[in-house]
Amino acid sequence: MDDLRAAMWEDTVPDGCKSCIAGEEASGFSNRDYSIYRANQMGFDYTQGHKLLGQELNISNLCNLRCRMCDSSRSSKWIAEDLLYETDVTSSHFRTTAKLQKSGWSLSSEEAKTIKFLTFLGGEPMLHQSQIIDSLKEVKKHNRLHDISVNINSNMVTPVDDQLAELLIDCKLVDFNASIDAYGPLNDYIRSDSVWNKLLENMLKLDSLAGQYSNIKWQTINTVTVLNCNKMNELYEWLDNTFKHAKQPTPAILAIEPWYLAVNNLPLDVKDTVLQKLIESKAQSLVNFRQYPKNSSKKYWGQHYDALCNYVSGDPAHMPGVDDWREDFWKFTNFLDQSRGTKFSDVNLEMAEWLKI
Ligand SMILES: C[S@@+](CC[C@H](N)C(=O)[O-])C[C@H]1O[C@@H](n2cnc3c(N)ncnc32)[C@H](O)[C@@H]1O
Ligand code: SF4
C-alpha cells in the first residue's frame, strides 16, 4: 500500500489501475472515479493518516454462474472448465485456474463503530447473505445503520432475503447493481446458468423495494463484449419498458479481458459494421426519447452509445502468439458451446454471421 500511495503521489499509473484508466478513456467513467466521488462525499482528507472508512469485499469466489467473460478467480463454477481449457485449447490462451477461495470475512465490533460504506463484489454476494446480515446487525448494535452506505453487485439469481431487506431499508443509502448484459436468451447464454424469468422476478422485487424506500437505489450494470455489443439497443429498450424505479445505468463496463471477447480486437470490417449499428441506435434512441412524455421513466442513451463507439474504435490489444483473432474467437466460443450444450448463432445470429470464417 505504501508503494501504491507513493506511485500515486508521483502521478504514475500502477499496473492494477490500467483497466480503469482504459475505461475512463472510452466512457469517461470508471470504478476509480466512483471511489474518488465516494471519498469526497465522506469529506476524506488525503493529507491525513489513514482511517478505515470503507471496505470492498470479495467474501469468496463462490458463484452460481459461469459468465463467459469471467473466470475461476471470480467464479468457482468456472473451475472445471478452466482446468479443461488449460489442457484442451492451445497454449496461447493459457490462464491459471483458481481454487475455491474463502476470505472468512466478518465485520468486527470495533470496525462497526466507524465504518461508512461496505461494497460487496465477489463471487456472488447473495450467496453470503447471512454474513452480510451479521455485519449489518453489528452496525445496528451501535445504532449506526443510518450512517452507512451499502453497495451490492449481484447476478440476480438469488433473491434478497427478507431479513437482509429489513436491515437495508434502515441504511443511509443502498446501491444495488444488477449485472445484466443483454435481453433474454442472449443474457442467459453470456451469463451461463442464469434463468431469465427468475432474474426478471428478482429485479421486479428490487424495483418495487426502490419504489417504496427512497434510500434504496438500483440499476443494471452491463458488461460489453463481442457477444453483446451489437444488441445493446434491445437491452436499453427493454429496461425502459419494464422498470419504473431503476436508475439509468452508468455507461457499460467495457471488458478488455479476455482479449478474445474484447470489442476493440474485432476485425476491421466487423468494427465498421458494429459502429454503423451503434450510430443508428443512438439516433433512434433520440427519436424515441423525444416522443416520450416528460414524466415517463424512459431515457436517452446517447452517452452510452458514444462510450461504446469509442470502445469499438479503440486500438486492438497486443496479443502475443495470436495470428488470427477470428479463429481464436471461435476456438474459445465453440469450446464453451460444446461443453455447455449451446450455440452462439442461436442467440446472436447477426454477430455470428459477421464473424463467419
Ligand atoms: C465479477 S462480478 C462479481 C459480482 C456478481 N457476481 C456479479 O456478477 O455482479 C462484478 C462485475 O464484473 C463484471 N465482469 C465480469 N467479467 C468481467 C471482465 N472480464 N471484464 C470486466 N468486467 C467483468 C460482471 O459482469 C459484474 O458486473
Ligand atoms: S455472476 Fe459475477 S462472479 Fe459469477 S461468473 Fe458471472 S460475473 Fe463472474
Side-chain angles (χ1 to χ4, degrees):
M1 286 306 291
D2 284 342
D3 288 348
L4 198 63
R5 289 192 181 103
M8 286 180 174
W9 273 122
E10 281 160 25
D11 247 357
T12 51
V13 180
D15 275 353
C17 302
K18 283 186 175 153
S19 70
C20 271
I21 302 287
E24 275 165 37
E25 276 166 13
S27 70
F29 185 79
S30 73
N31 266 336
R32 188 180 83 104
D33 282 326
Y34 183 56
S35 302
I36 294 170
Y37 162 79
R38 214 161 33 181
N40 288 339
Q41 242 187 353
M42 289 186 294
F44 187 77
D45 183 350
Y46 297 91
T47 62
Q48 298 301 307
H50 330 305
K51 185 174 160 196
L52 186 66
L53 294 176
Q55 295 189 29
E56 180 178 307
L57 298 147
N58 301 310
I59 298 180
S60 76
N61 63 345
L62 185 68
C63 189
N64 39 12
L65 297 188
R66 41 184 178 158
C67 304
R68 284 175 181 245
M69 64 290 176
C70 202
D71 62 28
S72 50
S73 71
R74 289 276 177 191
S75 164
S76 53
K77 216 169 179 190
W78 249 105
I79 294 175
E81 276 169 337
D82 252 358
L83 280 170
L84 266 182
Y85 190 51
E86 270 184 25
T87 48
D88 261 29
V89 189
T90 63
S91 59
S92 65
H93 296 81
F94 182 79
R95 62 189 198 193
T96 47
T97 305
K99 298 194 174 94
L100 178 64
Q101 293 163 323
K102 293 181 183 168
S103 67
W105 173 83
S106 65
L107 190 75
S108 71
S109 179
E110 212 41 46
E111 288 166 337
K113 286 182 194 163
T114 57
I115 200 82
K116 294 252 187 194
F117 71 86
L118 291 168
T119 294
F120 295 97
L121 295 168
E124 172 50 36
M126 289 296 95
L127 298 177
H128 290 288
Q129 295 196 57
S130 61
Q131 269 164 284
I132 301 177
I133 289 170
D134 288 347
S135 69
L136 293 181
K137 279 186 178 165
E138 204 57 54
V139 177
K140 190 176 175 172
K141 275 189 202 159
H142 298 284
N143 207 12
R144 290 195 59 247
L145 278 180
H146 64 278
D147 206 17
I148 68 160
S149 301
V150 180
N151 190 317
I152 300 174
N153 269 46
S154 169
N155 60 30
M156 299 311 291
V157 172
T158 313
V160 178
D161 187 281
D162 288 347
Q163 209 185 349
L164 177 57
E166 267 175 40
L167 289 159
L168 291 176
I169 57 184
D170 285 338
C171 290
K172 180 178 170 188
L173 182 69
V174 176
D175 240 317
F176 208 104
N177 292 327
S179 295
I180 299 292
D181 298 336
Y183 167 73
L186 179 57
N187 187 75
D188 287 349
Y189 174 88
I190 297 170
R191 306 190 66 84
S192 309
D193 305 332
S194 62
V195 177
W196 183 251
N197 283 341
K198 194 80 208 145
L199 306 183
L200 178 57
E201 198 181 302
N202 292 335
M203 280 188 279
L204 285 169
K205 260 191 204 160
L206 202 53
D207 201 49
S208 143
L209 212 56
Q212 289 173 64
Y213 302 98
S214 61
N215 66 321
I216 303 216
K217 312 280 180 208
W218 86 283
Q219 59 174 339
T220 63
I221 180 162
N222 325 121
T223 300
V224 179
T225 61
V226 166
L227 304 172
N228 58 351
C229 64
N230 60 321
K231 297 282 182 184
M232 297 313 284
N233 56 331
E234 290 175 19
L235 175 62
Y236 295 157
E237 261 170 53
W238 174 78
L239 287 173
D240 266 352
N241 291 325
T242 312
F243 302 108
K244 286 202 184 93
H245 307 289
K247 285 198 299 176
Q248 182 159 27
T250 46
I253 302 177
L254 312 170
I256 54 171
E257 278 174 352
W259 53 260
Y260 33 73
L261 294 183
V263 170
N264 53 321
N265 293 334
L266 277 168
L268 279 179
D269 56 324
V270 182
K271 273 190 177 191
D272 284 347
T273 317
V274 173
L275 270 174
Q276 193 55 41
K277 177 152 185 189
L278 290 171
I279 291 164
E280 282 162 17
S281 301
K282 178 182 170 184
Q284 188 58 48
S285 171
L286 184 60
V287 171
N288 292 346
F289 183 68
R290 284 190 173 144
Q291 287 169 357
Y292 302 143
K294 276 218 159 45
N295 60 354
S296 92
S297 57
K298 320 248 168 169
K299 293 148 187 123
Y300 172 50
W301 297 90
Q303 198 197 349
H304 293 61
Y305 286 116
D306 286 344
L308 290 172
C309 287
N310 279 341
Y311 175 41
V312 176
S313 319
D315 289 336
H318 177 58
M319 296 171 279
V322 177
D323 299 328
D324 186 335
W325 180 91
R326 218 182 269 254
E327 213 172 85
D328 278 69
F329 166 80
W330 282 114
K331 207 183 282 176
F332 174 74
T333 300
N334 291 338
F335 166 77
L336 285 189
D337 278 353
Q338 213 168 359
S339 156
R340 299 176 183 189
T342 50
K343 203 167 169 208
F344 183 48
S345 57
D346 286 347
V347 288
N348 191 345
L349 182 61
E350 186 179 57
M351 183 58 83
E353 288 288 323
W354 292 343
L355 288 176
K356 205 146 88 183
I357 297 183

